[in-house]
Amino acid sequence: MTINLLSRKLAYTQSRVPCCFTIKVSRGIRLHPVINQHRHYARKRPTPTFSAGTAAPNNDKTSQERAEALVKERATRPRHLLTPGRLILISVLGYLGYRLYTWQTNPRRSLTLNPKFFTPFILSSKEPVSTTSSVFNLLSVPIGQNTDNISEAWRLGVWSVQVMQPDLQIARSYTPLPPTEEMPDEQVRLFVRREVQGEVSGFLHRISPGTLVHLRGPHLEYRIPDNVEEVLFLAGGTGIAPALQVAYTLFTARPRSGREVPRIRILWANRRREDSRAGLEPPEVQQFRINLTNRIRNATAGGARGTPVITKPLDEAYGLVGCVKQTRLVEEVEQLATKSAGRVSVEYFVDEEGSFITEAMLESYLISQSSSDAPPPDIPSPRKKLLFVAGPDGFVSYFAGPKCWKGGRELQGPLGGILQKIDPQGWEIWTL
């Protein structure tokens, strides 16, 4: 009984003590716990041996030296911590790398003129036309990059390019002039009048040859059909540029022969004589012309008898041939009329001299010709008659009504102005 109780107590103690105990019963029933070396101490640690004259190491001192060495090693070890300064430096380097990659792969760096991104051109020369307007000749950089796309634009019809003002990052559309025989096909010529508050026009008139000018385009304003019979163009000031574009496309870019060649009539109105025909005359000759024109108009309006009928131009009738001097742009217009063999006619109007494009004049051009040349009502005409109006906003609104804006784009508005009163039948009207 006593042995059983002791066995239970020893078993409880064995469960709480990590060592194993065996019971050894002897006389007087005395219990001696003996460590089971066979289970827990079968693998003995080797006993360190020391040579003669060497003292045994001090375990406490060795541990202390190891701790100090570890502290020194950690102190001298380089720390790779993401501090705020390193984070900013990594961010800046990453941003610069991204910008370099996007700059190298950006299509805006393309040297070919395109409608999406601005392309650098160099201003090769600037030709003054009057005190307020000039012709700017622009070449692509390098030369030879835009021959194909510009030639294709000339074959299509009326097109324009946007010029960017680099300081304000704003752009304005201009219609290029046709190329001349001595200039390369890819050269872009812009006829620009300097406006008082015009940021882009002022920028162009301030720069000198050799300056880079960024262009975007070409933007097709109107695709000229092939079956064109007649064109009437009302041009105000710089609106002569799209008129010359139409003539160049129909006569040069699309050469024809015989009866297929259309007829073009251009009515060109300017505010001053210097922008029109004989614009480089001496001041006294210009004043003589103005007085003579007013005298003829007043005599004709009053119905006075004896009014001389002048069958020759004023230059020949009054001996002004030697004094007449044309601007470069007027010379190009006159050369176009001369080379067309009578298919192109140009009439000049000057506001300061009292000559205007009147409603009666337009009726004589539109109504009489429409009624005489119109086919029977049941037979549609195979060829088209086009009427264009281009120039300043006031000029366009007076003749055809204002344009409308939709979605940030300028669109053709409803017909208004004088042309709405005339209501020409059989004419397709476009404002540029």
Side-chain angles (χ1 to χ4, degrees):
M1 185 67 179
T2 305
I3 293 175
N4 293 334
L5 293 174
L6 291 173
S7 299
R8 294 178 180 176
K9 186 174 182 181
L10 287 173
Y12 174 76
T13 306
Q14 182 179 359
S15 63
R16 296 176 62 87
V17 180
C19 301
C20 298
F21 294 87
T22 54
I23 301 174
K24 191 173 183 180
V25 181
S26 61
R27 294 180 182 179
I29 313 179
R30 299 180 62 182
L31 301 178
H32 300 277
V34 180
I35 299 177
N36 189 352
Q37 297 181 0
H38 177 70
R39 293 183 179 179
H40 297 279
Y41 291 91
R43 298 180 180 178
K44 296 182 179 181
R45 297 181 179 179
T47 304
T49 57
F50 304 94
S51 60
T54 303
N58 189 355
N59 294 333
D60 297 339
K61 186 176 180 181
T62 302
S63 301
Q64 185 178 0
E65 291 178 354
R66 290 179 179 177
E68 293 177 356
L70 182 61
V71 171
K72 291 180 180 180
E73 181 182 0
R74 291 181 176 178
T76 56
R77 183 185 304 173
R79 298 182 179 181
H80 302 283
L81 300 178
L82 191 61
T83 60
R86 292 181 179 179
L87 181 60
I88 295 175
L89 179 62
I90 293 174
S91 302
V92 171
L93 293 178
Y95 175 75
L96 293 179
Y98 170 76
R99 294 291 295 179
L100 178 62
Y101 172 76
T102 54
W103 179 78
Q104 293 177 347
T105 59
N106 195 342
R108 297 186 180 184
R109 296 182 62 244
S110 174
L111 299 178
T112 304
L113 186 65
N114 61 90
K116 293 185 178 180
F117 307 107
F118 285 95
T119 307
F121 278 65
I122 188 170
L123 178 63
S124 60
S125 61
K126 180 168 54 175
E127 304 175 15
V129 175
S130 64
T131 57
T132 59
S133 59
S134 300
V135 175
F136 299 86
N137 300 317
L138 303 171
L139 285 174
S140 59
V141 183
I143 299 176
Q145 297 289 328
N146 299 288
T147 303
D148 296 335
N149 56 349
I150 291 181
S151 300
E152 180 64 21
W154 285 118
R155 286 190 293 269
L156 293 178
V158 182
W159 58 284
S160 64
V161 294
Q162 288 183 324
V163 180
M164 182 180 66
Q165 210 276 14
D167 298 331
L168 302 178
Q169 295 293 309
I170 58 177
R172 191 183 187 279
S173 297
Y174 292 97
T175 303
L177 292 171
T180 57
E181 296 179 355
E182 64 274 8
M183 62 178 285
D185 295 336
E186 66 172 356
Q187 183 171 348
V188 178
R189 303 172 64 225
L190 301 179
F191 178 36
V192 181
R193 185 184 304 279
R194 183 168 188 174
E195 303 294 341
V196 178
Q197 298 180 351
E199 299 293 345
V200 181
S201 63
F203 161 74
L204 290 175
H205 281 82
R206 286 193 304 268
I207 62 177
S208 57
T211 307
L212 288 179
V213 180
H214 291 79
L215 306 181
R216 181 170 61 186
H219 300 284
L220 187 63
E221 303 290 340
Y222 178 79
R223 184 186 296 270
I224 300 177
D226 293 328
N227 56 341
V228 178
E229 177 183 5
E230 187 174 358
V231 176
L232 176 61
F233 208 108
L234 308 183
T238 55
I240 191 63
L244 296 178
Q245 277 195 358
V246 173
Y248 182 84
T249 300
L250 294 177
F251 288 97
T252 305
R254 303 179 189 174
R256 300 179 184 182
S257 60
R259 300 182 59 184
E260 294 183 356
V261 179
R263 299 189 304 269
I264 301 178
R265 183 189 296 270
I266 300 175
L267 308 182
W268 186 15
N270 287 283
R271 297 178 181 176
R272 303 178 182 88
R273 168 59 62 179
E274 64 175 358
D275 297 318
S276 183
R277 189 172 183 270
L280 299 181
E281 289 178 335
E284 58 274 9
V285 178
Q286 292 189 16
Q287 187 63 39
F288 174 79
R289 182 186 299 275
I290 294 174
N291 297 336
L292 179 62
T293 304
N294 293 334
R295 286 172 54 191
I296 295 175
R297 183 181 298 108
N298 295 334
T300 305
R305 297 179 180 180
T307 303
V309 179
I310 301 177
T311 57
K312 298 181 180 181
L314 294 179
D315 306 330
E316 300 179 6
Y318 289 87
L320 302 177
V321 178
C323 300
V324 175
K325 294 183 180 179
Q326 312 291 358
T327 63
R328 174 65 182 273
L329 188 58
V330 175
E331 288 181 354
E332 295 182 13
V333 174
E334 293 294 324
Q335 291 175 4
L336 173 64
T338 303
K339 293 180 180 180
S340 65
R343 307 297 294 183
V344 177
S345 61
V346 183
E347 300 182 27
Y348 300 87
F349 303 87
V350 181
D351 293 351
E352 66 180 6
E353 298 178 5
S355 58
F356 306 98
I357 303 174
T358 62
E359 181 178 352
M361 186 182 302
L362 294 179
E363 288 181 353
S364 64
Y365 293 149
L366 299 174
I367 302 299
S368 60
Q369 296 182 10
S370 299
S371 59
S372 60
D373 300 339
D378 55 343
I379 301 178
S381 176
R383 305 185 68 183
K384 291 185 177 181
K385 295 183 178 181
L386 304 178
L387 194 158
F388 295 96
V389 183
D393 295 338
F395 182 86
V396 175
S397 300
Y398 176 76
F399 286 102
K403 292 184 177 181
C404 62
W405 288 85
K406 184 176 182 181
R409 298 182 59 186
E410 192 176 25
L411 304 176
Q412 299 288 325
L415 183 63
I418 293 180
L419 293 178
Q420 183 184 17
K421 299 179 181 178
I422 299 175
D423 190 19
Q425 300 297 324
W427 288 82
E428 183 178 334
I429 302 175
W430 283 85
T431 58
L432 302 175

